[in-house]
Amino acid sequence: MSPRRDDPDGALMVRVEARDADALAELYDRHAARLLGLARRILGEGGEAEEVLQEVFLFAWRAAASFDPTRGSVLTWLLIATRSRAIDRVRSRSSSSRPEARRLDDLSLEPAAPVDVEAASAERQWEAVCRSAVGELPGDQRKVLELAYFEGLTQQEIAERTATPLGTVKTRARLGLMKLRERLRPYLGSGSRVS
Amino acid sequence: MSHNERHEELAALLALGASLGADGAELERHLAEGCERCEEILAEGRAAATALAAGVPAVPPPAQVRAKILSSIAPSRVPARPPVSVAAWRVLAAAAALLLVAVVLDDARLRRDREDLRSRSADLAGRLQTAETALAERTLRARVLESDDVRMMLLGGSGPQPEARGRVFWSPSAKRGVLVATSLAALPPDRQYELWVFQKGKPVSAGVFDVDASGRALFESTAFPEPEAQNFAVTVEPRGGVPAPTGPVVLVGSPT
């Protein structure tokens, strides 16, 4: 069963594309908190995360037609948009001083918790699968993934930060991402590969 | 270049959003060759990477963010209905003002996008030109170098242009020569460089050429005067060239 089909987000996107502002408001109410959480995680406290959130929803309004349901869920689309905007800002300010920059080491993600998958809604289920997929990764692979995803480091910087040879960083990135893909494949929308 | 594990690693890093630096060009070339596997890693990997976001606690946004977003898309909500009263006129005027703001904001954004696109396309045009020059150079050299009797002579900077460097490849049987030169100065519009072939101690013109903005020249002489060239020189001459050298020598070879 694909959660996408039951997901009200798809219907909302159709309405957003038809310039229905109420639909955008509903989409916002459903996802803004999660997106802001991600933006804050990357950008830290301060107004920038809120600005990113605004940009993302204006982008969703403007570019609703570019959403392709066969490539993943609406939430994934919004998360990717949020992440890329937040990282752009991190990179543009990384040349200047950034005293409030947080190190990943200081705030590790919560470990995976067992979840009653059957009882959960499609979104909760997605979230649970994600958490456990990330939690099951070997620590060193997870670290590489997190440094790239949340801090936007280059492969070279990841190697330096983790005191690991560049080749190992690349291998860990590939293996870690491959594991996530395998676990999330039923949710990723590559139709023919859904098991 | 056929697909290998290294490409998968780069595609995975890119999907995670890590910048690849110099390796980026390699992956780009590989994707341009149409690697479906890497395309799939990129698309699925980008979505799979969002799993990392699932562990991040949600943060309820302040109410004014929602209001700002909805007000900035508000003009589209105004129904297109004919005005019926003064009150309606006021509403319309307010809507028009909002619309104007939206249009101005939109315009600024579009302008930024356009500038961004323009700079990217200028960058691409520059890279294309570089690539085309390199290709033309190789083609020309290949044509000469394919000859069995190809010969080469290094030319060094001389007189006013000590930094200039050049190489002449020529084939006595093909009666062709190619000059590749770097670090030549730009000339006034009424001047050109002229290549001379020395035979029996006397210079014979092999044609005139210009340099590009970066001081490079690639010149193929199809009227290569003499198979038994002993030396080469480049001088600055009036545009169109002269039968015998008159200007300063800027490049000259050292026959061995």
Side-chain angles (χ1 to χ4, degrees):
Chain A
M1 179 185 74
S2 161
R4 272 192 324 282
R5 258 163 237 142
D6 317 320
D7 196 347
D9 286 345
L12 285 176
M13 282 308 291
V14 173
R15 286 169 55 202
V16 168
E17 202 182 329
R19 289 288 167 271
D20 180 343
D22 292 333
L24 189 76
E26 213 174 307
L27 201 64
Y28 179 91
D29 293 338
R30 289 170 58 76
H31 299 305
R34 171 176 300 291
L35 301 179
L36 183 59
L38 175 61
R40 280 265 177 91
R41 174 74 173 74
I42 295 169
L43 288 163
E45 306 295 323
E48 275 195 291
E50 278 84 357
E51 285 171 29
V52 164
L53 186 63
Q54 267 186 68
E55 284 174 17
V56 166
F57 278 93
L58 292 180
F59 158 77
W61 179 251
R62 216 183 296 270
S66 73
F67 169 67
D68 177 358
T70 64
R71 304 211 85 151
S73 71
V74 175
L75 179 54
T76 300
W77 185 63
L78 292 173
L79 283 168
I80 291 173
T82 303
R83 192 262 171 199
S84 65
R85 279 164 181 73
I87 289 293
D88 281 351
R89 282 171 181 255
V90 167
R91 289 206 180 117
S92 74
R93 76 188 182 188
S94 66
S95 50
S96 59
S97 65
R98 192 184 156 209
E100 82 281 23
R102 299 182 303 174
R103 305 270 298 202
L104 195 69
D105 317 58
D106 305 334
L107 12 87
S108 202
L109 296 183
E110 299 159 40
V115 178
D116 182 357
V117 172
E118 283 303 312
S121 72
E123 284 143 58
R124 295 275 159 249
Q125 186 182 337
W126 175 82
E127 195 177 308
V129 170
C130 286
R131 278 173 185 261
S132 74
V134 172
E136 282 164 19
L137 291 176
D140 49 8
Q141 291 176 14
R142 197 172 86 172
K143 184 90 175 174
V144 167
L145 263 50
E146 289 174 349
L147 286 170
Y149 189 77
F150 291 119
E151 306 207 11
L153 299 187
T154 65
Q155 46 176 346
Q156 192 66 51
E157 288 165 340
I158 296 172
E160 284 162 17
R161 181 77 73 86
T162 56
T164 309
L166 187 57
T168 311
V169 166
K170 288 177 176 166
T171 306
R172 287 178 185 169
R174 182 177 68 86
L175 293 178
L177 192 65
M178 209 193 287
K179 278 179 201 149
L180 287 187
R181 280 169 60 216
E182 287 310 317
R183 284 292 307 271
L184 297 172
R185 189 154 264 165
Y187 303 86
L188 295 183
S190 298
S192 59
R193 288 179 168 273
V194 172
S195 53
Chain B
M1 203 187 329
S2 65
H3 176 87
N4 60 40
E5 206 162 79
R6 183 177 154 75
H7 296 127
E8 286 189 22
E9 289 169 350
L10 292 175
L13 278 160
L14 191 64
L16 284 165
S19 52
L20 301 179
D23 287 342
E26 182 186 338
L27 182 65
E28 235 170 75
R29 270 198 304 278
H30 178 63
L31 289 172
E33 286 165 3
C35 178
E36 282 181 24
R37 176 122 178 79
C38 283
E39 288 289 358
E40 185 189 303
I41 291 175
L42 259 186
E44 289 192 6
R46 277 201 183 102
T50 62
L52 293 158
V56 177
V59 178
Q64 70 264 24
V65 178
R66 186 182 198 272
K68 265 193 213 161
I69 292 169
L70 294 180
S71 74
S72 57
I73 64 166
S76 324
R77 306 180 80 179
V78 174
R81 217 179 284 147
V84 291
S85 67
V86 175
W89 270 113
R90 285 205 186 121
V91 170
L92 263 188
L98 274 178
L99 191 61
L100 186 63
V101 169
V103 166
V104 168
L105 287 177
D106 224 39
D107 194 47
R109 181 166 183 129
L110 280 175
R111 205 176 314 125
R112 268 205 313 281
D113 289 352
R114 205 161 54 225
E115 277 159 13
D116 185 35
L117 280 176
R118 197 176 298 147
S119 70
R120 275 192 225 172
S121 103
D123 177 41
L124 283 175
R127 281 157 67 180
L128 183 62
Q129 199 189 6
T130 309
E132 278 176 347
T133 309
L135 181 64
E137 187 176 310
R138 283 182 192 186
T139 311
L140 283 188
R141 268 153 65 173
R143 207 181 298 159
V144 174
L145 292 172
E146 275 165 10
S147 321
D148 293 332
D149 58 347
V150 65
R151 300 174 65 187
M152 194 269 277
M153 189 183 287
L154 293 172
L155 310 186
S158 157
Q161 297 191 34
E163 301 298 310
R165 293 287 177 271
R167 268 176 294 174
V168 179
F169 302 87
W170 80 100
S171 153
S173 68
K175 291 195 165 63
R176 279 169 186 274
V178 173
L179 168 73
V180 184
T182 55
S183 304
L184 283 170
L187 294 179
D190 61 338
R191 301 270 141 175
Q192 266 183 315
Y193 288 106
E194 187 158 8
L195 174 65
W196 303 95
V197 181
F198 284 81
Q199 47 176 353
K200 294 174 190 132
K202 294 186 73 181
V204 178
S205 176
V208 291
F209 62 92
D210 296 301
V211 295
D212 68 13
S214 56
R216 290 167 56 87
L218 169 69
F219 170 60
E220 183 186 26
S221 172
T222 50
F224 213 66
E226 164 62 36
E228 294 307 317
Q230 296 156 329
N231 198 2
F232 301 90
V234 171
T235 60
V236 179
E237 301 295 348
R239 179 159 286 276
V242 290
T246 62
V249 176
V250 294
L251 276 173
V252 65
S254 42
T256 48

